[in-house]
Amino acid sequence: MKKMNGVTDWLLPSHRNISEVCLVKHIYLDHAATTPLLPEVLESMLPYFTEYYGNPSSSHHDGRSAKKAVDTAREQIASALKCQPEQIIFTSCGSMANNLAVLSTIRNLPANAKLFTTPIEHSSLLAPMQLYADRCIFGKVDRYGYLQTMPEQDTAFASIQYANNELGSIQDVQKIVKYCKQNRIILHADAVQAFGQIPIDLSKDAPDLVSISAHKFSGPKGIGALIAKQPGKLSPLIYGNNRNTPVAGTENTAAIVGMGKAAELAAKNLTVNIAHKHHLQQLLKEHLLKSIPNLIILTPETKTLPGILSVCIPGVNSEGLLSALDLKGVSVSAGSACHAGEKTASHVMTAIGLSENLLHSVIRFSIGIQNTEEEIIQAADIFCTLTNNLLHLSL
């Protein structure tokens, strides 16, 4: 059978050259990887590239103008999270926020202090924890990624995700916070995938440290934050002499302004956005189940992020299916964007006990606020046609 760009001709009956492929309507369903920048966010950022370009640490007029914008963004983010503006430490991304939380905390602990996390965490959390593998205990999770075991009572530091980026499952953070508080365990929660998608209230019982990232809630890439109850207790991760902060360096004013605006909009529209994405998620699930009899749904029914739907199709290789979908104008993924292109199976899917023959058959849809019913139905039809063609050929 003749191949074109690594995909067999039967996958593209109506597209025989690349110019025709490019004319296909693009449907983006990979919002868990990143979200498009909202126009209002871009508009808020533009003056800080050209007009208000001062260094926020400078004492002159230009510096004060930039500093005022940074302070406003802090207030917007603090309002969305119900925390204090001075608790917000800006970082270059969610990964840096996770590293700051882990490394800056553990450095201040006794050398033999016990640590706790789970095997389904993001790689930016697992990697720094791996530096202390000899004293790190991994909690057990069930088939949906929900935590089944609490840290041992003499644990010093624990880190868990608010919600998993591949499965969509939301942890019972309040229960974990209560347990850690009772046992004097410092708790970090990676809310990179959760903030802007579900309500998060840090005014009540809350983790000691929380990571967020702007590009996950329609803000710019290259800016994140760690919210720390006691920021002064963190050891520096990046040293410098311009600010008393664990992350020294010139603040990215434009990105911070964009993050603040995106946080404000996410909080304002949260209820409407949740309902919209839940509706489209259910619509997509119904279409897929109707047309693919052996489809396995990996995302839980309840306690899940709106818009994320991970599925598994026995007998279908996700890599080939992703390529075919891409050529048809549908962008989805096989899991975390940080592992795209790798041949190894997802550590999340391995940890929840997915069988060996299914590990490379996972597809993750993640719906955004801009998606429409028409797009979901069209994407589902394309997905089902391609999947059933693959299943037919494998018989």
Side-chain angles (χ1 to χ4, degrees), residues 74 83-89 100-101 104-106 108-109 156-157 181 184-188 202 206-210 226-236 244-247:
R74 284 185 190 278
C83 66
Q84 299 303 312
E86 59 269 20
Q87 294 176 326
I88 298 169
I89 303 165
L100 176 62
S104 293
T105 302
I106 295 177
N108 291 329
L109 297 176
F157 174 73
K181 188 175 182 181
R184 298 184 178 182
I185 300 170
I186 299 170
L187 177 63
H188 165 246
L202 301 184
D208 301 283
L209 302 155
V210 176
L226 179 68
I227 295 83
K229 280 186 178 179
Q230 297 178 297
K233 288 191 173 182
L234 294 173
S235 294
N244 182 24
T245 171
V247 184

Side-chain angles (χ1 to χ4, degrees), residues 143-144 146 164 166-169 281 285 296-312 349 352 363-365:
R143 59 170 294 199
Y144 292 119
Y146 295 122
N164 186 262
E166 294 188 36
L167 294 164
S169 44
Q281 180 185 35
K285 185 191 298 186
I296 300 170
I297 302 292
L298 300 173
T299 298
E301 282 285 339
T302 59
K303 295 187 295 181
T304 182
L305 290 174
I308 286 188
L309 182 66
S310 281
V311 302
C312 184
M349 298 303 161
I352 64 170
I363 296 288
R364 181 191 67 184
F365 297 89

Side-chain angles (χ1 to χ4, degrees), residues 258-334:
M259 185 177 188
K261 185 64 175 179
E264 179 183 69
L265 292 171
K268 177 183 177 182
N269 301 315
L270 187 61
T271 302
V272 173
N273 289 343
I274 288 174
H276 175 68
K277 287 186 286 186
H278 267 315
H279 168 65
L280 296 185
Q281 180 185 35
Q282 191 61 33
L283 181 66
L284 175 62
K285 185 191 298 186
E286 290 172 358
H287 273 67
L288 298 187
L289 287 171
K290 189 189 305 179
S291 301
I292 307 173
N294 61 341
L295 184 82
I296 300 170
I297 302 292
L298 300 173
T299 298
E301 282 285 339
T302 59
K303 295 187 295 181
T304 182
L305 290 174
I308 286 188
L309 182 66
S310 281
V311 302
C312 184
I313 311 100
V316 173
N317 182 275
S318 57
E319 185 179 353
L321 183 53
L322 285 175
S323 297
L325 286 165
D326 188 34
L327 288 169
K328 284 287 191 179
V330 179
S331 294
V332 295
S333 72

Side-chain angles (χ1 to χ4, degrees), residues 4-49:
M4 182 176 68
N5 294 327
V7 181
T8 51
D9 273 356
W10 62 261
L11 289 173
L12 300 167
S14 60
H15 305 302
R16 297 305 182 197
N17 59 66
I18 195 64
S19 62
E20 288 176 330
V21 171
C22 292
L23 294 175
V24 176
K25 174 179 168 58
H26 178 226
I27 302 174
Y28 184 73
L29 295 174
D30 198 19
H31 292 83
T34 195
T35 55
L37 194 72
L38 286 174
E40 302 97 314
V41 174
L42 176 60
E43 185 179 358
S44 73
M45 295 172 63
L46 289 176
Y48 296 92
F49 287 112

Side-chain angles (χ1 to χ4, degrees), residues 210-228:
V210 176
S211 304
I212 62 174
S213 183
H215 78 103
K216 301 292 188 177
F217 52 93
S218 300
K221 298 177 183 65
I223 186 70
L226 179 68
I227 295 83

